[in-house]
Amino acid sequence: GLTLDFTLWHYMGVDPATASYDLLDPSGALVWTNGTFDTVTETTLNNKTCQVFTAAVPDILPAVLGVYTARVTAVSSNGYGVTDQATYTPSTAGAGVPFVLDRFSRPDVSDDIGEGWATNNTGPTAGNIQLRDHALQFYGVGGTSGDGRLSVVRDMTGRYNPVLTNNAGTLTWAFNFYSGQANMTGLGSGKYAGLVVLGSTSTNFVGGYGNGYAVRICSNQVALVKFTGGLNSDTDATTIGTPANLAANSPMGIRVTLDAATGTWTLYTTNWGGTGPEAFGNPLAADDLATSNVDAIYLGATSLPYVGCYWNHGSGAPGSTYGAVFDDVYAPYVMPAAPLMTFLVYDEDMDEPEHSGFNVDGRQFTLASINPGGLTVTGLVADAN
């Protein structure tokens, strides 16, 4: 939620019955209006006695990104009204946004790729999972021959709610993929297929455990699938909607969205052209609509904390023809609680009806004075008359 404190300071005295505060969302709609101040105390500021009005806004969970405006209104004891306001931009304001999970832009390394990725594999493994040329390579140059299943897995707990429908807004996953293997026929011994698991109940989906959702690339198609009992064979996965027709050996960008409120999954793809991963672009730009369908079998109360990249391969020689490359992996991010915002307003011009500025958090502000930390004055303060 977004937690805010309002504090109004005034030198000459404000009628407590007239003091109120509002919170506006980025569109200007009121999120909270005419809130009253809880307490009135006195303090000394610049050798002058001030009244301090304090209020805490009840927690809200804004689902709209952007700049929120805090506004305080009061009428002084001599009848002058004043409205001061400042703006605040929470990082994600409680809604899901696509945020990079890994671009693999680290030095080349084999087997343990770091950054919280764990491996679950079958068959030979030495050198078969690498970071190479700032991308994730499976069964590539330097690997060990033999049938197998290779995967790297990350736990998303703390990044967003693993019960996917408990998040706000739209959740987005995206990634780039390339393999030189034109004969990708699916999951199973001796076959080839690439997958990105969007959410699973288990880290060991290559070993036949877990339920969840994934993108499967094989048979010249990109399909959104749900799986039961891991991902060992084609019969473990059921296609959701209509797959995209895309040559298996095309450098491709893939984006998947989930409307958390309705359980609607949408798959987008793009063919980057070219002949290898050097053609990759931003997968968030993938916009060729393949399918949009509701499927909530593993939503609701099911926790799906694990995401991963997975390559099912035969025994061809490790290299670009029989290997796969993943890059630019995005997953949802939801800020669970925006930072505390303390909003302090001091009326600096106690003797004149026109107010040229005000003080927020101990600093004097005018139109020409902008706090580089992100708290922005939206206009001069002026008496209501």
Side-chain angles (χ1 to χ4, degrees), residues 373-384:
L375 187 63
T376 305
V377 176
T378 58
L380 292 177
V381 179
D383 285 323

Side-chain angles (χ1 to χ4, degrees), residues 151-224:
S151 73
V152 294
V153 187
R154 283 269 294 265
D155 186 347
M156 296 293 98
T157 303
R159 186 183 174 100
Y160 53 86
N161 193 318
V163 179
L164 298 181
T165 50
N166 286 353
N167 296 283
T170 300
L171 305 182
T172 301
W173 297 260
F175 62 95
N176 284 317
F177 174 83
Y178 172 75
S179 174
Q181 178 54 244
N183 188 29
M184 295 168 60
T185 57
L187 293 169
S189 179
K191 295 183 177 181
Y192 293 84
L195 299 95
V196 165
V197 173
L198 309 175
S200 172
T201 58
S202 171
T203 61
N204 193 17
F205 38 80
V206 302
Y209 298 94
N211 305 327
Y213 295 94
V215 175
R216 182 185 62 198
I217 304 162
C218 65
S219 304
N220 296 318
Q221 291 185 328
V222 179
L224 183 63

Side-chain angles (χ1 to χ4, degrees), residues 57 60 64 66 99 117 229 231 290-291 293 315 324 345 381:
V57 183
I60 64 170
V64 179
F99 197 78
W117 293 100
L231 285 162
T291 192
N293 292 84
S315 58
V345 178
V381 179

Side-chain angles (χ1 to χ4, degrees), residues 7 12 24 55 83 123 183 186 215 266 275 304 306-307 345 351 375 384:
T7 305
M12 300 300 290
L24 296 85
T83 298
N183 188 29
V215 175
T266 305
T275 58
L304 303 172
Y306 304 112
V307 303
V345 178
D351 296 325
L375 187 63

Side-chain angles (χ1 to χ4, degrees), residues 23-96:
L23 183 67
L24 296 85
D25 73 11
S27 71
L30 286 165
V31 175
W32 193 264
T33 185
N34 292 326
T36 56
F37 289 90
D38 304 315
T39 60
V40 181
T41 58
E42 288 189 352
T43 191
T44 300
L45 180 68
N46 297 336
N47 298 317
K48 298 180 184 295
T49 299
C50 299
Q51 289 178 306
V52 182
F53 293 68
T54 305
V57 183
D59 260 2
I60 64 170
L61 183 63
V64 179
L65 299 179
V67 177
Y68 283 72
T69 300
R71 183 171 64 198
V72 175
T73 301
V75 177
S76 63
S77 54
N78 60 357
Y80 289 126
V82 60
T83 298
D84 291 345
Q85 68 182 37
T87 60
Y88 177 71
T89 308
S91 298
T92 58

